[in-house]
Amino acid sequence: MAVPALEKDFSDTPWVRGDSLVVAHRLRTWYSLKRGLFSKPIYVKAVDDVSLSVSRGETLAVVGESGSGKTTLGRTLIRLLKPTGGELYFDGADISAQEESELRRWFRRRVGVVFQDPYSSLHPYHSIQFILEEPLMIHGVPGEERLERVYRALEEVKLTPPEDFLYKYPHMLSGGQRQRVAIARAVIMNPDFVVADEPVSMLDVSVRVEILNLLKQVQERHKSAFLYITHDIATAKYFSDYIAIMYAGKLVEYGPFKPVIREPSHPYTQALIEALPDPDPKNRLRQRKVAPGEPPNLANPPKGCRFHPRCPYAMDICREQEPPMVEVRPGVYAACWLLVKR
Amino acid sequence: MAIVGETGSGKSTLAKLLTRVWERNVALVDGEVYLEGVEILHMPEHQFRREVRWWKIGMVPQASMNALNPVITIGEQMIEPLLLRGVPKAEALRLAMDSLESVGLPRDTVYRYPHQLSGGMKQRVVIAMALMTRPKVLILDEPTSALDVMTQANIMNLLKELKARMKLSYIFITHDLALASELADSIAVMYAGKIAEIGSADDIYSSPAHPYTQGLMSSMPTLRIDKQLASIPGEVPSLISPPPGCRFHPRCPYYVERNLKGICDAKEPPYAELKPWSGRRHLAACWLYQEFISGR
Ligand SMILES: Nc1ncnc2c1ncn2[C@@H]1O[C@H](COP(=O)(O)OP(=O)(O)OP(=O)(O)O)[C@@H](O)[C@H]1O
Ligand code: SF4
Ligand code: SF4
Ligand SMILES: [Mg+2]
C-alpha cells in the first residue's frame, strides 16, 4: 500500500522513497538555548539534515548512542516537536508546520508511541482500563465500542484474562507488564505509524525477549509503519527491515538491515557493532576496538565530519569538510570520506 | 567470577553480604566468607572496617553513579572516607587524583561536580573511588546497566585493562550473560536466592546444564548468532514463600516433559558434579543430573 508518490524532488537524497507513508527530507530540529536577554540564542542541533522514509508494514531501526538525536527525531516524526527546517510528509500531506489543532483533527489518531520508561510513561493514578480507554475517548469512539476495544487490546498484548487487569493500577504490574500496557495504548487506535523509543532498554534480559516478540507480532498484525529507536542493534535484528545509524544529529549510514549489519561501511557503525558483547568466552579480556571518548556537545559540534575526534581513520579533509552520503552498495548509503571516490 | 541472574534473584544482596553492608531489616546472616583463608563474615566490625572493607574488598554498588552527591565536588566525595580513616588531606587528594588518572579521567576531575560529567565519566569516578585504597577484590554490581552500548564497551575495556594492570579479582554482577563473558573466568547463575549453576565460563557457555541457564541462553538477543529467541515463561517467584523443592520448577520445561512431579516439587535438588572434559569444576543444582533420574 504505497502512498501516491510525492511530486517532489528527492534526488539529492536517493535513499528516500517518495511513496512512503512517512517521508522526512533534510529534516532539522534544533533546540534553542537563550543565554541572556540580548545575547543571540545558541542552537543544539539535535537533528540536523536527516532524510529518511518509512512505508507501511516495514520497520526502520534508528540506532545511535545516547545524545545522538534519536529521540528528537522520533518525536519530530510524530510531531510532538515542530521541525526547525526541512520537509516532513505523512500520507502525502505536509505536516511540518501544521498546528496542533489541525494535527488533532486527523493526524494524532493515526500515530502511536511507546516510550522507554514503563515506570513513568503510565499515569500512576489511572487504572489500566482508563489508560487504554482515554485515547478512544479523545478520538470520539462511542462508549459501547470502547470496552470491547480495550478487551481486544489487552488480549493482543497477552494480558489475559483482561478482566484481571482492567482495574489494576500501573504500580501493581511488573516492568514487562507495564510495557505491554504501553504497547496496547499505542496501538489501540490502530495507528498507521508507531514509534517505539527504547521500549526494552529498561527491562531485564529475559523480559526483553517477550516484549520484542510482542512488538514483532503487533507490527505484523497492524501492518503499520514502525520506527524502532535503540542503542542496541541486537534487539533491532528481530524485526527491522531498514536501519538508520545516527551520530551527533546526523544520519551517517542507511540501508536494508542485513547488508548494513553484515558489512558496516561507516567507521561509527563498525564501532557500534564491535561494542556488542556475544555470549562467547573467547572474547574474555579482549580490548574491543570501539570509539573512545564521548559524543560531542551538539551546541558546538566538531567541524567537518562530526565523528572525526573519535575516528581512528580521521584524515585532514575530515576535520574541514562534511562528508556527503554516497551509495556504497546497492541501497546502502554512508557519509564518510573513506568511501568517497575521488 | 560473574554472578548472573534476573532482577530479584539476590545478586545485590549477595554482594552486600560479602562487604557486610547490612540493610536495616536484615534478620539473619549465616554461613561463612573467607578472604585469604580468614573468615570475615563474623569478624568484629571494627576489625572488618580497619582491615577488610575498602582495603581488601572494594565495592561499586548498583546505581552508585547516580548516588553521587550533586552539591559536593568529586574530590571531596572521594577523599571523605580516607579522611575518616586518618589519611592526611594532601595525601588523600593525591590518591584521589592518581586513581582518577588510572581510570582514564583527568586529574582535575576532583574539582568538578557530578552534573558536569557524562554517565560514562561518573561510572569511571565510582570505579576510581573503589580503587583508591588498592583493594585486591573489586565487587562491581551492574556497573554498566544504565549506559548505552558504546559507553558500556569503553567501561568494559577499562575493567579489562585495570584487571591486568592492578592484578585485581572481580566479582562482576550482571543480568546479562553476554556481558559476563567479556570478563569472567567462571560464572555463577543465581535464581531466586540460590546458585543454580556454577562453573568455568567455557563450560557454561558451551554446555549450560541447568534448565534455567539454558533458558537464559536462548532468551539472549545476539547480533552475530542466528537463532530463534525463546523466553522463559512465567515470572521470578516471591522470596517470601518460594516454591517448595526446586525453586525453578513452576517455570521448568523438564518438570512437565520428564514427568518429575513428586521429585522437583518435593525436595531441593543437591548440587551434581558434572565432570566436564575441561577438568574444571562444574556444578548444577538440578534433579536431572542425579543418577537415579538421568538413568530412567
Ligand atoms: N531491605 C530489604 N527488605 C526486604 N526485601 C528486600 C530488601 N532488599 C532486597 N529485598 C528483596 O530481596 C530479593 C533480592 O533482591 P536483590 O536486590 O538482592 O536482587 P538483585 O538480583 O540484585 O536484583 P536486580 O537485578 O534488580 O538488582 C528481592 O525480592 C528484593 O525485593
Ligand atoms: S569522514 Fe573521516 S572522520 Fe568521518 S568517519 Fe570517515 S574517516 Fe572517520
Ligand atoms: S530440579 Fe527439576 S524443576 Fe528444577 S531445574 Fe531441574 S528439572 Fe527443572
Ligand atoms: Mg541488584
Side-chain angles (χ1 to χ4, degrees):
Chain A
M1 262 194 302
V3 176
L6 289 158
E7 311 246 322
K8 299 278 173 190
D9 182 14
F10 298 131
S11 56
D12 57 338
T13 57
W15 61 95
V16 169
R17 289 157 292 146
D19 59 353
S20 297
L21 182 75
V22 181
V23 176
H25 186 235
R26 318 208 73 144
L27 198 66
R28 283 198 301 271
T29 308
W30 295 1
Y31 300 104
S32 78
L33 296 177
K34 280 247 172 41
R35 308 241 282 181
L37 205 46
F38 301 107
S39 60
K40 265 202 269 165
I42 291 177
Y43 293 105
V44 177
K45 297 166 183 155
V47 170
D48 203 13
D49 197 356
V50 170
S51 303
L52 48 82
S53 55
V54 201
S55 296
R56 281 200 182 89
E58 80 185 23
T59 299
L60 169 65
V62 176
V63 182
E65 267 165 294
S66 57
S68 58
K70 311 182 294 287
T71 295
T72 304
L73 174 67
R75 297 178 76 102
T76 308
L77 294 181
I78 53 174
R79 276 302 318 274
L80 293 176
L81 291 169
K82 195 168 179 169
T84 315
E87 298 147 73
L88 178 59
Y89 304 93
F90 182 84
D91 205 356
D94 180 351
I95 58 166
S96 56
Q98 281 191 8
E99 294 303 325
E100 184 57 35
S101 54
E102 176 68 13
L103 292 170
R104 210 169 283 161
R105 208 174 52 71
W106 69 280
F107 177 71
R108 290 272 167 249
R109 70 180 62 205
R110 296 183 62 185
V111 297
V113 59
V114 183
F115 294 107
Q116 172 171 15
D117 184 357
Y119 296 91
S120 63
S121 65
L122 302 176
H123 196 298
Y125 300 141
H126 289 167
S127 68
I128 304 308
Q129 173 172 356
F130 184 82
I131 288 170
L132 295 178
E133 215 176 333
E134 195 185 20
L136 299 169
M137 290 193 274
I138 292 173
H139 296 298
V141 175
E144 59 277 19
E145 199 189 317
R146 289 203 297 260
L147 195 60
E148 166 67 24
R149 282 176 74 167
V150 169
Y151 264 75
R152 258 192 283 140
L154 283 168
E155 276 165 2
E156 178 169 6
V157 297
K158 307 208 167 53
L159 290 175
T160 50
E163 46 283 12
D164 283 3
F165 291 91
L166 287 178
Y167 309 113
K168 289 207 163 130
Y169 289 83
H171 69 94
M172 299 167 157
L173 305 182
S174 69
Q177 288 173 331
R178 284 184 228 208
Q179 209 54 311
R180 286 170 192 270
V181 172
I183 294 168
R185 184 180 155 100
V187 300
I188 200 162
M189 291 298 297
N190 228 331
D192 298 315
F193 181 38
V194 177
V195 172
D197 188 354
E198 301 265 18
V200 299
S201 66
M202 311 256 301
L203 302 174
D204 233 38
V205 179
S206 59
V207 184
R208 264 180 212 180
V209 185
E210 293 171 22
I211 299 298
L212 288 173
N213 282 337
L214 178 66
L215 283 170
K216 188 178 159 121
Q217 285 164 16
V218 165
Q219 185 248 16
E220 279 167 2
R221 170 126 15 103
H222 291 261
K223 296 265 178 291
S224 37
F226 220 86
L227 191 84
Y228 177 73
I229 297 174
T230 184
H231 65 88
D232 180 357
I233 307 181
T235 64
K237 172 179 146 182
Y238 294 89
F239 54 94
S240 300
D241 304 294
Y242 291 87
I243 184 167
I245 309 282
M246 279 187 78
Y247 184 75
K250 294 268 178 201
L251 186 63
V252 297
E253 185 158 357
Y254 174 90
F257 191 86
K258 283 211 180 97
V260 170
I261 294 314
R262 207 173 299 133
E263 206 186 323
S265 300
H266 196 282
Y268 181 63
T269 315
Q270 291 165 2
L272 267 183
I273 290 175
E274 168 70 11
L276 288 175
D278 298 303
D280 182 353
K282 278 202 272 305
N283 295 319
R284 184 190 307 132
L285 303 182
R286 176 171 77 80
Q287 286 285 318
R288 286 184 178 263
K289 289 187 201 68
V290 292
E294 315 254 337
N297 175 355
L298 294 182
N300 185 19
K303 205 176 155 204
C305 171
R306 290 186 180 182
F307 188 53
H308 84 247
R310 303 173 74 190
C311 180
Y313 313 108
M315 306 163 281
D316 285 343
I317 188 171
C318 308
R319 287 177 266 271
E320 294 300 325
Q321 284 181 52
E322 192 180 327
M325 285 281 265
V326 292
E327 188 168 27
V328 286
R329 289 193 306 284
V332 178
Y333 293 79
C336 169
W337 284 117
L338 291 175
L339 305 167
V340 178
K341 292 198 181 65
R342 278 176 296 162
Chain B
M1 166 171 284
I3 299 176
V4 183
E6 281 168 282
T7 291
S9 57
K11 306 182 297 295
S12 296
T13 305
L14 179 59
K16 289 183 207 158
L17 185 81
L18 296 176
T19 45
R20 298 183 30 167
V21 178
W22 315 133
E23 294 291 329
R24 216 170 300 169
N25 59 346
V26 159
L28 171 77
V29 174
D30 202 0
E32 292 138 75
V33 177
Y34 291 92
L35 183 70
E36 297 177 314
V38 179
E39 207 288 322
I40 56 168
L41 193 61
H42 300 286
M43 158 188 282
E45 176 62 20
H46 65 89
Q47 189 189 356
F48 186 81
R49 275 198 53 188
R50 203 178 54 232
E51 294 173 10
V52 182
R53 183 184 301 132
W54 250 52
W55 304 108
K56 288 189 175 158
I57 307 183
M59 168 101 158
V60 178
Q62 188 164 17
S64 50
M65 62 181 249
N66 298 321
L68 290 170
N69 189 330
V71 296
I72 302 179
T73 62
I74 298 297
E76 283 171 278
Q77 304 190 47
M78 288 183 78
I79 65 174
E80 192 192 280
L82 288 174
L83 299 183
L84 285 175
R85 286 167 172 81
V87 179
K89 187 161 180 189
E91 166 75 1
L93 199 61
R94 192 183 57 77
L95 283 174
M97 288 173 152
D98 288 350
S99 199
L100 287 167
E101 200 164 43
S102 73
V103 300
L105 291 173
R107 295 178 77 84
D108 64 8
T109 309
V110 289
Y111 304 114
R112 301 180 71 180
Y113 289 89
H115 71 89
Q116 297 173 312
L117 306 179
S118 69
M121 291 160 89
K122 280 191 271 191
Q123 192 58 52
R124 282 170 197 261
V125 166
V126 293
I127 293 171
M129 271 178 171
L131 289 178
M132 257 193 311
T133 42
R134 297 294 175 124
K136 299 178 174 152
V137 180
L138 187 59
I139 302 178
L140 299 145
D141 192 354
E142 301 267 14
T144 65
S145 59
L147 306 170
D148 66 51
V149 288
M150 191 79 86
T151 314
Q152 167 173 288
N154 277 309
I155 295 286
M156 295 305 284
N157 275 349
L158 171 70
L159 291 175
K160 291 167 183 175
E161 185 218 308
L162 287 173
K163 178 173 187 287
R165 181 147 49 90
M166 302 171 110
K167 306 221 177 347
L168 288 164
S169 298
Y170 287 142
I171 295 176
F172 181 76
I173 296 176
T174 177
H175 63 266
D176 184 348
L177 255 177
L179 192 66
S181 74
E182 295 278 307
L183 276 181
D185 301 297
S186 51
I187 308 261
V189 178
M190 276 191 89
Y191 184 75
K194 297 205 173 266
I195 290 180
E197 176 167 6
I198 185 165
S200 77
D202 294 325
D203 291 327
I204 292 209
Y205 288 101
S206 63
S207 34
H210 197 283
Y212 176 63
T213 316
Q214 294 170 357
L216 276 185
M217 286 286 242
S218 48
S219 69
M220 214 169 9
T222 53
L223 191 64
R224 298 170 187 85
I225 306 163
D226 259 318
K227 60 154 197 233
Q228 202 64 34
L229 276 189
S231 59
I232 307 170
E235 306 218 358
V236 184
S238 150
L239 297 183
I240 294 173
S241 51
C246 170
R247 293 184 175 184
F248 188 56
H249 86 256
R251 304 172 74 185
C252 181
Y254 298 100
Y255 172 63
V256 184
E257 271 167 38
R258 298 280 305 268
N259 193 19
L260 296 171
K261 288 199 182 61
I263 299 170
C264 300
D265 53 13
K267 213 164 159 271
E268 193 181 324
Y271 286 103
E273 282 270 8
L274 299 173
K275 303 206 171 60
W277 285 353
S278 66
R280 301 188 58 182
R281 275 194 102 180
H282 187 177
L283 303 170
C286 170
W287 283 115
L288 289 175
Y289 301 97
Q290 297 298 328
E291 245 152 60
F292 73 99
I293 291 189
S294 49
R296 85 176 192 180

